[in-house]
Coordinates of all heavy atoms in Angstrom, one line a residue:
M151 N 125.0 103.8 73.2 CA 125.1 102.3 73.5 C 124.0 101.6 72.6 O 122.9 102.0 72.5 CB 124.8 102.0 74.9 CG 125.4 100.7 75.4 SD 124.9 100.2 77.0 CE 125.5 101.6 78.0
T152 N 124.4 100.5 72.0 CA 123.5 99.8 71.1 C 122.8 98.7 71.9 O 123.2 98.3 72.9 CB 124.2 99.2 69.9 OG1 125.1 98.2 70.4 CG2 125.0 100.2 69.1
D153 N 121.7 98.2 71.3 CA 121.0 97.1 72.0 C 121.9 95.9 72.1 O 121.7 95.1 73.1 CB 119.7 96.7 71.1 CG 118.7 97.8 71.3 OD1 118.7 98.5 72.3 OD2 117.8 97.8 70.4
Q154 N 122.8 95.7 71.1 CA 123.6 94.5 71.1 C 124.5 94.4 72.4 O 124.7 93.3 72.9 CB 124.5 94.5 69.9 CG 124.0 93.5 68.9 CD 124.9 93.5 67.6 OE1 125.6 94.4 67.4 NE2 124.7 92.5 66.8
N155 N 125.1 95.5 72.8 CA 126.0 95.5 73.9 C 125.4 96.0 75.2 O 126.1 96.0 76.2 CB 127.3 96.1 73.6 CG 127.2 97.6 73.2 OD1 126.2 98.2 73.6 ND2 128.1 98.1 72.5
S156 N 124.2 96.5 75.3 CA 123.7 97.0 76.5 C 123.1 95.8 77.4 O 123.0 96.0 78.6 CB 122.6 98.0 76.3 OG 121.4 97.3 75.8
G157 N 122.8 94.7 76.8 CA 122.3 93.6 77.5 C 120.8 93.6 77.8 O 120.3 92.6 78.3
W158 N 120.1 94.7 77.5 CA 118.7 94.7 77.7 C 117.9 94.5 76.5 O 118.2 95.0 75.4 CB 118.3 96.1 78.3 CG 118.9 96.4 79.7 CD1 120.0 97.1 80.0 CD2 118.4 95.8 80.9 NE1 120.2 97.1 81.3 CE2 119.2 96.3 81.9 CE3 117.3 95.0 81.3 CZ2 119.1 96.0 83.3 CZ3 117.1 94.7 82.6 CH2 118.0 95.2 83.6
H159 N 116.9 93.6 76.6 CA 116.0 93.3 75.4 C 115.3 94.6 75.0 O 114.9 95.4 75.8 CB 115.1 92.2 75.8 CG 114.4 91.6 74.6 ND1 113.3 92.3 74.0 CD2 114.6 90.5 74.0 CE1 112.9 91.5 73.0 NE2 113.7 90.4 73.0
P160 N 115.2 94.8 73.7 CA 114.5 96.0 73.2 C 113.1 96.2 73.7 O 112.7 97.3 74.0 CB 114.4 95.8 71.7 CG 115.5 94.8 71.4 CD 115.7 94.0 72.6
V161 N 112.4 95.1 74.0 CA 111.0 95.2 74.5 C 111.1 95.7 76.0 O 110.3 96.5 76.4 CB 110.3 93.8 74.4 CG1 108.9 93.9 75.2 CG2 110.0 93.4 73.0
T162 N 112.1 95.2 76.7 CA 112.3 95.6 78.1 C 112.6 97.1 78.1 O 112.0 97.9 78.9 CB 113.4 94.8 78.7 OG1 113.2 93.4 78.5 CG2 113.5 95.1 80.2
K163 N 113.4 97.5 77.2 CA 113.8 98.9 77.1 C 112.6 99.8 76.8 O 112.4 100.8 77.4 CB 114.9 99.1 76.1 CG 116.3 98.9 76.5 CD 117.1 99.3 75.3 CE 118.6 99.4 75.7 NZ 119.4 99.8 74.5
G164 N 111.9 99.3 75.8 CA 110.7 100.1 75.3 C 109.7 100.2 76.4 O 109.2 101.3 76.6
L165 N 109.4 99.1 77.1 CA 108.4 99.2 78.2 C 108.9 100.1 79.3 O 108.1 100.9 79.9 CB 108.2 97.8 78.8 CG 107.2 96.9 78.0 CD1 107.2 95.5 78.6 CD2 105.8 97.5 77.9
H166 N 110.2 100.1 79.6 CA 110.8 101.0 80.6 C 110.5 102.5 80.3 O 110.1 103.2 81.1 CB 112.3 100.7 80.7 CG 113.0 101.7 81.6 ND1 113.0 101.5 83.0 CD2 113.7 102.8 81.3 CE1 113.7 102.5 83.5 NE2 114.1 103.3 82.5
W167 N 110.8 102.9 79.1 CA 110.7 104.3 78.7 C 109.2 104.6 78.6 O 108.8 105.8 78.9 CB 111.4 104.6 77.4 CG 112.9 104.7 77.7 CD1 113.9 103.8 77.4 CD2 113.5 105.6 78.6 NE1 115.1 104.1 77.9 CE2 114.9 105.3 78.6 CE3 113.1 106.8 79.2 CZ2 115.8 106.0 79.4 CZ3 114.0 107.5 80.0 CH2 115.4 107.1 80.0
L168 N 108.4 103.7 78.2 CA 106.9 103.9 78.2 C 106.4 104.2 79.6 O 105.6 105.1 79.8 CB 106.2 102.7 77.6 CG 104.8 102.8 77.2 CD1 104.6 103.9 76.1 CD2 104.2 101.5 76.6
F169 N 107.0 103.4 80.6 CA 106.6 103.7 82.0 C 107.0 105.1 82.4 O 106.2 105.7 83.1 CB 107.4 102.6 82.9 CG 106.6 101.5 83.3 CD1 106.9 100.2 82.8 CD2 105.5 101.6 84.1 CE1 106.1 99.1 83.2 CE2 104.7 100.5 84.5 CZ 105.1 99.3 84.0
V170 N 108.2 105.5 82.1 CA 108.7 106.8 82.5 C 107.8 107.9 82.0 O 107.3 108.7 82.7 CB 110.2 107.0 82.0 CG1 110.6 108.4 82.3 CG2 111.1 106.0 82.6
I171 N 107.5 107.8 80.7 CA 106.6 108.8 80.0 C 105.2 108.8 80.7 O 104.7 109.8 81.0 CB 106.6 108.6 78.5 CG1 108.0 108.9 77.9 CG2 105.5 109.5 77.9 CD1 108.1 108.3 76.5
L172 N 104.6 107.6 80.8 CA 103.3 107.5 81.4 C 103.2 108.0 82.8 O 102.3 108.7 83.1 CB 102.8 106.0 81.3 CG 102.2 105.5 80.0 CD1 101.9 104.1 80.0 CD2 101.0 106.3 79.6
L173 N 104.2 107.6 83.6 CA 104.2 108.1 85.0 C 104.3 109.6 85.1 O 103.6 110.2 85.9 CB 105.3 107.4 85.8 CG 105.1 106.0 86.3 CD1 106.3 105.4 86.9 CD2 103.9 106.0 87.3
L174 N 105.1 110.2 84.2 CA 105.2 111.7 84.2 C 103.8 112.3 83.8 O 103.4 113.3 84.4 CB 106.2 112.1 83.2 CG 107.7 112.0 83.6 CD1 108.6 112.4 82.5 CD2 107.9 112.9 84.8
C175 N 103.1 111.6 82.9 CA 101.8 112.1 82.4 C 100.8 111.9 83.6 O 99.9 112.8 83.8 CB 101.3 111.4 81.2 SG 102.3 111.8 79.7
V176 N 100.8 110.8 84.2 CA 99.9 110.5 85.4 C 100.1 111.6 86.4 O 99.1 112.2 86.9 CB 100.2 109.1 86.0 CG1 99.4 108.9 87.3 CG2 99.8 108.0 85.0
W177 N 101.3 111.8 86.8 CA 101.6 112.8 87.8 C 101.2 114.3 87.3 O 100.6 115.0 88.0 CB 103.1 112.8 88.1 CG 103.6 113.8 89.0 CD1 103.4 113.9 90.4 CD2 104.3 115.0 88.7 NE1 103.9 115.0 90.9 CE2 104.5 115.7 89.9 CE3 104.8 115.5 87.5 CZ2 105.2 117.0 89.9 CZ3 105.5 116.7 87.5 CH2 105.7 117.4 88.7
G178 N 101.6 114.6 86.0 CA 101.4 115.9 85.5 C 99.9 116.2 85.5 O 99.4 117.3 85.8
A179 N 99.1 115.2 85.1 CA 97.6 115.4 84.9 C 97.0 115.7 86.3 O 96.2 116.7 86.4 CB 96.9 114.2 84.4
V180 N 97.4 115.0 87.3 CA 96.8 115.2 88.7 C 97.3 116.5 89.3 O 96.5 117.2 90.0 CB 97.0 114.0 89.6 CG1 98.3 114.0 90.3 CG2 95.8 113.9 90.6
E181 N 98.5 116.9 88.9 CA 99.0 118.2 89.5 C 98.3 119.4 88.7 O 97.9 120.4 89.4 CB 100.5 118.3 89.3 CG 101.3 117.4 90.2 CD 101.1 117.7 91.6 OE1 101.0 118.9 92.0 OE2 101.1 116.7 92.4
L182 N 98.2 119.3 87.4 CA 97.6 120.3 86.6 C 96.1 120.6 86.9 O 95.6 121.7 86.9 CB 97.7 120.0 85.1 CG 99.0 120.3 84.5 CD1 99.0 119.9 83.0 CD2 99.4 121.8 84.5
H183 N 95.4 119.5 87.4 CA 93.9 119.7 87.6 C 93.6 120.7 88.7 O 92.6 121.4 88.6 CB 93.2 118.4 87.9 CG 93.1 118.0 89.3 ND1 94.1 117.5 90.1 CD2 92.0 118.1 90.2 CE1 93.7 117.3 91.3 NE2 92.5 117.7 91.4
E184 N 94.6 120.9 89.6 CA 94.4 121.8 90.7 C 94.4 123.3 90.2 O 93.9 124.2 91.0 CB 95.5 121.6 91.7 CG 95.3 120.3 92.5 CD 96.5 120.0 93.4 OE1 97.3 120.9 93.7 OE2 96.7 118.8 93.7
F185 N 94.9 123.6 89.1 CA 94.9 125.0 88.5 C 93.6 125.4 88.0 O 93.4 126.6 87.6 CB 96.0 125.1 87.5 CG 97.4 125.0 88.1 CD1 98.1 123.8 87.9 CD2 97.9 126.1 88.7 CE1 99.4 123.8 88.5 CE2 99.2 126.0 89.3 CZ 100.0 124.8 89.1
Y186 N 92.6 124.4 87.8 CA 91.3 124.8 87.2 C 90.2 124.8 88.3 O 90.3 124.0 89.3 CB 91.0 123.7 86.2 CG 91.9 123.8 85.0 CD1 93.1 123.0 84.9 CD2 91.6 124.6 83.9 CE1 94.0 123.1 83.9 CE2 92.5 124.7 82.8 CZ 93.7 124.0 82.8 OH 94.5 124.0 81.8
D187 N 89.3 125.7 88.1 CA 88.1 125.7 89.1 C 87.3 124.5 89.0 O 87.3 123.8 88.0 CB 87.2 126.9 88.7 CG 87.9 128.2 88.9 OD1 88.8 128.3 89.8 OD2 87.6 129.2 88.2
R188 N 86.5 124.2 90.1 CA 85.7 123.0 90.1 C 84.7 123.0 88.9 O 84.3 121.9 88.5 CB 84.9 122.9 91.4 CG 85.9 122.7 92.6 CD 85.2 122.1 93.8 NE 86.3 121.9 94.8 CZ 87.0 120.8 94.9 NH1 86.8 119.8 94.0 NH2 87.9 120.6 95.8
E189 N 84.2 124.2 88.5 CA 83.2 124.2 87.4 C 83.8 124.0 86.0 O 83.1 123.7 85.1 CB 82.5 125.6 87.4 CG 81.8 126.0 88.7 CD 82.8 126.6 89.7 OE1 83.7 127.4 89.3 OE2 82.8 126.1 90.8
D190 N 85.1 124.2 85.9 CA 85.8 124.1 84.6 C 85.9 122.6 84.2 O 86.4 121.7 84.9 CB 87.2 124.6 84.8 CG 87.9 124.9 83.4 OD1 87.6 124.2 82.5 OD2 88.6 125.9 83.3
P191 N 85.3 122.3 83.0 CA 85.4 120.9 82.5 C 86.8 120.3 82.4 O 87.0 119.1 82.5 CB 84.7 120.9 81.1 CG 84.1 122.3 81.1 CD 84.7 123.2 82.0
M192 N 87.7 121.2 82.2 CA 89.1 120.8 82.1 C 89.6 120.1 83.3 O 90.4 119.1 83.2 CB 90.0 122.0 81.8 CG 91.4 121.7 81.4 SD 91.5 120.9 79.8 CE 93.2 120.6 79.7
R193 N 89.1 120.5 84.5 CA 89.5 119.9 85.8 C 89.1 118.4 85.8 O 90.0 117.5 86.1 CB 88.9 120.7 86.9 CG 89.4 120.2 88.3 CD 88.7 121.0 89.4 NE 89.0 120.4 90.7 CZ 89.8 120.9 91.6 NH1 90.4 122.0 91.4 NH2 90.0 120.3 92.7
G194 N 87.9 118.1 85.4 CA 87.4 116.8 85.4 C 88.1 115.9 84.4 O 88.4 114.8 84.6
W195 N 88.4 116.6 83.2 CA 89.0 115.9 82.1 C 90.4 115.4 82.6 O 90.8 114.3 82.3 CB 89.1 116.8 80.9 CG 89.7 116.1 79.7 CD1 88.9 115.4 78.8 CD2 91.0 116.1 79.2 NE1 89.7 114.9 77.8 CE2 91.0 115.3 78.0 CE3 92.2 116.6 79.7 CZ2 92.2 115.1 77.3 CZ3 93.4 116.3 79.0 CH2 93.4 115.6 77.8
L196 N 91.2 116.3 83.3 CA 92.5 115.9 83.7 C 92.5 114.8 84.8 O 93.4 114.0 84.8 CB 93.2 117.2 84.3 CG 93.7 118.1 83.2 CD1 94.1 119.5 83.8 CD2 94.9 117.6 82.4
V197 N 91.4 114.9 85.6 CA 91.3 113.8 86.7 C 91.0 112.5 86.0 O 91.7 111.4 86.3 CB 90.3 114.1 87.7 CG1 90.0 113.0 88.6 CG2 90.7 115.3 88.6
R198 N 90.1 112.5 85.0 CA 89.8 111.2 84.2 C 91.1 110.7 83.5 O 91.3 109.6 83.4 CB 88.6 111.4 83.3 CG 87.3 111.4 84.1 CD 86.1 111.3 83.1 NE 86.1 112.4 82.2 CZ 85.5 113.6 82.4 NH1 85.0 113.8 83.6 NH2 85.5 114.5 81.5
L199 N 91.9 111.7 83.0 CA 93.1 111.3 82.3 C 94.0 110.6 83.3 O 94.7 109.6 82.9 CB 93.8 112.6 81.7 CG 95.0 112.3 80.9 CD1 94.7 111.6 79.6 CD2 95.7 113.7 80.5
H200 N 94.1 111.2 84.5 CA 94.9 110.6 85.6 C 94.5 109.1 85.8 O 95.3 108.2 85.9 CB 94.8 111.4 86.8 CG 95.5 110.9 88.0 ND1 96.9 110.9 88.2 CD2 95.0 110.2 89.1 CE1 97.2 110.3 89.3 NE2 96.1 109.8 89.9
F201 N 93.1 108.9 86.0 CA 92.6 107.6 86.2 C 93.0 106.6 85.1 O 93.5 105.6 85.3 CB 91.1 107.6 86.3 CG 90.5 108.3 87.5 CD1 89.1 108.5 87.5 CD2 91.3 108.8 88.5 CE1 88.6 109.2 88.6 CE2 90.8 109.5 89.6 CZ 89.4 109.7 89.6
S202 N 92.7 107.1 83.8 CA 92.9 106.2 82.7 C 94.4 105.8 82.5 O 94.7 104.6 82.3 CB 92.5 106.9 81.4 OG 91.2 107.5 81.5
L203 N 95.3 106.8 82.6 CA 96.7 106.5 82.4 C 97.2 105.7 83.6 O 98.1 104.9 83.4 CB 97.5 107.8 82.3 CG 97.3 108.6 81.0 CD1 98.1 109.9 80.9 CD2 97.5 107.8 79.8
G204 N 96.7 106.0 84.8 CA 97.1 105.2 86.0 C 96.7 103.8 85.8 O 97.5 102.9 86.1
I205 N 95.5 103.5 85.3 CA 95.1 102.1 85.1 C 96.0 101.5 84.0 O 96.4 100.3 84.1 CB 93.6 102.0 84.8 CG1 92.8 102.3 86.0 CG2 93.2 100.6 84.2 CD1 91.3 102.6 85.8
T206 N 96.3 102.2 83.0 CA 97.2 101.7 81.9 C 98.5 101.3 82.4 O 99.1 100.3 82.1 CB 97.3 102.8 80.8 OG1 96.0 103.2 80.4 CG2 98.1 102.3 79.6
V207 N 99.1 102.2 83.3 CA 100.4 101.9 84.0 C 100.3 100.6 84.7 O 101.2 99.7 84.6 CB 100.8 103.0 84.9 CG1 102.0 102.6 85.8 CG2 101.2 104.2 84.1
L208 N 99.2 100.4 85.5 CA 99.0 99.1 86.3 C 98.9 97.9 85.3 O 99.5 96.9 85.6 CB 97.8 99.2 87.2 CG 97.9 100.4 88.2 CD1 96.7 100.4 89.1 CD2 99.1 100.2 89.1
L209 N 98.2 98.1 84.2 CA 98.1 96.9 83.3 C 99.4 96.6 82.6 O 99.8 95.5 82.5 CB 97.1 97.3 82.2 CG 95.6 97.3 82.6 CD1 94.7 97.7 81.5 CD2 95.2 95.9 83.1
L210 N 100.2 97.7 82.3 CA 101.5 97.5 81.7 C 102.5 96.9 82.7 O 103.4 96.1 82.3 CB 102.1 98.9 81.3 CG 101.8 99.3 79.9 CD1 102.4 100.7 79.6 CD2 102.4 98.3 78.9
L211 N 102.3 97.1 84.0 CA 103.1 96.5 85.0 C 102.9 95.0 85.0 O 103.9 94.2 85.1 CB 102.7 97.1 86.4 CG 103.6 96.7 87.5 CD1 105.0 97.4 87.4 CD2 103.0 97.2 88.8
V212 N 101.6 94.6 84.8 CA 101.3 93.1 84.7 C 102.0 92.5 83.5 O 102.7 91.5 83.6 CB 99.8 92.9 84.6 CG1 99.5 91.4 84.4 CG2 99.1 93.4 85.9
L213 N 102.0 93.3 82.4 CA 102.6 92.8 81.1 C 104.1 92.7 81.3 O 104.8 91.8 80.9 CB 102.3 93.8 80.0 CG 102.8 93.5 78.6 CD1 102.0 92.3 78.1 CD2 102.6 94.7 77.7
R214 N 104.7 93.7 82.0 CA 106.1 93.8 82.3 C 106.6 92.6 83.2 O 107.6 92.0 82.9 CB 106.4 95.1 83.0 CG 107.8 95.3 83.5 CD 108.8 95.6 82.3 NE 110.1 95.8 82.8 CZ 111.0 94.8 83.1 NH1 110.7 93.6 82.9 NH2 112.2 95.1 83.5
L215 N 105.7 92.3 84.2 CA 106.1 91.1 85.1 C 106.0 89.8 84.4 O 106.8 88.9 84.6 CB 105.2 91.2 86.3 CG 105.4 92.3 87.3 CD1 104.3 92.3 88.4 CD2 106.8 92.3 87.9
Y216 N 105.0 89.7 83.4 CA 104.9 88.5 82.6 C 106.1 88.3 81.7 O 106.7 87.3 81.6 CB 103.6 88.6 81.8 CG 103.5 87.5 80.7 CD1 103.2 86.2 81.0 CD2 103.7 87.9 79.4 CE1 103.1 85.2 80.1 CE2 103.6 86.9 78.4 CZ 103.3 85.6 78.7 OH 103.3 84.6 77.8
W217 N 106.5 89.5 81.1 CA 107.7 89.4 80.2 C 108.9 89.0 81.0 O 109.8 88.3 80.5 CB 107.9 90.8 79.6 CG 109.0 90.9 78.6 CD1 110.2 91.4 78.8 CD2 109.0 90.4 77.3 NE1 111.0 91.2 77.7 CE2 110.2 90.6 76.7 CE3 108.0 89.8 76.5 CZ2 110.6 90.3 75.4 CZ3 108.3 89.4 75.2 CH2 109.6 89.7 74.7
R218 N 109.1 89.5 82.2 CA 110.2 89.3 83.1 C 110.2 87.8 83.5 O 111.3 87.2 83.6 CB 110.1 90.2 84.3 CG 111.4 90.2 85.1 CD 111.1 91.0 86.4 NE 112.1 90.7 87.4 CZ 112.9 91.6 87.9 NH1 112.7 92.8 87.6 NH2 113.8 91.3 88.8
A219 N 109.0 87.2 83.7 CA 109.0 85.8 84.2 C 109.3 84.8 83.1 O 109.7 83.7 83.4 CB 107.5 85.6 84.7
R220 N 109.3 85.3 81.9 CA 109.6 84.4 80.8 C 111.1 84.1 80.6 O 111.9 84.9 80.9 CB 109.1 85.0 79.4 CG 107.6 84.8 79.3 CD 107.1 85.4 78.0 NE 107.7 84.6 76.9 CZ 107.9 85.2 75.7 NH1 107.7 86.4 75.4 NH2 108.4 84.4 74.7
Ligands
HEM845 C1 100.7 104.8 88.4 C2 99.6 105.0 89.0 C3 99.3 106.2 89.8 C4 100.1 107.2 90.4 C5 101.6 107.2 90.3 C6 99.2 108.1 91.0 C7 99.7 109.3 91.7 C8 98.9 110.2 92.3 C9 99.3 111.5 92.8 C10 100.8 111.9 93.0 C11 98.2 112.1 93.3 C12 98.2 113.5 94.0 C13 98.2 113.4 95.5 C14 98.1 114.7 96.1 O1 98.7 115.7 95.6 O2 97.4 114.8 97.1 C15 97.1 111.3 93.0 C16 95.8 111.7 93.3 C17 94.7 110.9 93.0 N1 94.7 109.7 92.3 FE1 96.3 108.8 91.6 N2 97.9 107.8 90.9 C18 97.9 106.6 90.1 C19 96.8 105.9 89.7 C20 95.5 106.2 90.0 C21 94.3 105.5 89.6 C22 94.3 104.2 88.7 C23 93.2 106.1 90.2 C24 91.7 105.7 90.1 C25 91.2 105.0 89.1 C26 93.7 107.3 90.9 C27 92.9 108.1 91.6 C28 93.4 109.3 92.2 C29 92.5 110.3 92.9 C30 91.0 110.2 93.0 C31 93.3 111.3 93.3 C32 92.9 112.6 94.1 C33 92.6 113.6 93.0 C34 92.1 115.0 93.6 O3 92.9 115.5 94.4 O4 91.0 115.4 93.2 N3 95.1 107.3 90.8 N4 97.5 110.2 92.4

């Protein structure tokens, strides 16, 4: 399906898929951290990745709502 006949703006579509990918990464990071010991720096790194991507998703949500309101 092309952008011309799907009815969805390319920015809306782009943000939608960005959300899907980011949410999978947010979830994946927090699930993966459990496989590492508490002393392993990888565990903390994955939790921080979860925080950062989670905040990014929330900021993108604001952008998405702004775009929708226009
Ligand atoms: C789109 C946003 C987010 C989603 C979908 C999400 C989802 C999740 C999920 C599924 C878990 C695992 C829960 C469990 O298995 O018990 C989790 C844990 C957690 N999340 Fe998030 N989260 C998001 C954003 C954030 C943000 C922005 C923060 C903090 C800045 C945060 C902090 C935490 C903490 C501290 C844990 C517990 C980690 C641990 O078990 O050590 N999350 N989150």
Side-chain angles (χ1 to χ4, degrees):
M151 206 189 298
T152 66
D153 285 342
Q154 253 179 345
N155 58 24
S156 71
W158 294 102
H159 192 282
V161 172
T162 309
K163 273 185 169 181
L165 283 175
H166 172 81
W167 286 109
L168 195 59
F169 262 114
V170 174
I171 293 164
L172 279 174
L173 279 173
L174 282 174
C175 293
V176 168
W177 173 77
V180 85
E181 289 300 320
L182 279 178
H183 93 280
E184 290 171 20
F185 291 100
Y186 294 89
D187 293 332
R188 294 202 176 274
E189 305 79 48
D190 196 326
M192 190 66 184
R193 186 178 170 110
W195 187 84
L196 283 166
V197 171
R198 283 193 300 277
L199 184 67
H200 175 78
F201 293 172
S202 312
L203 293 180
I205 289 167
T206 306
V207 167
L208 297 179
L209 289 176
L210 269 177
L211 189 68
V212 173
L213 188 67
R214 175 75 178 84
L215 291 174
Y216 169 74
W217 184 258
R218 193 190 161 120
R220 283 179 66 207

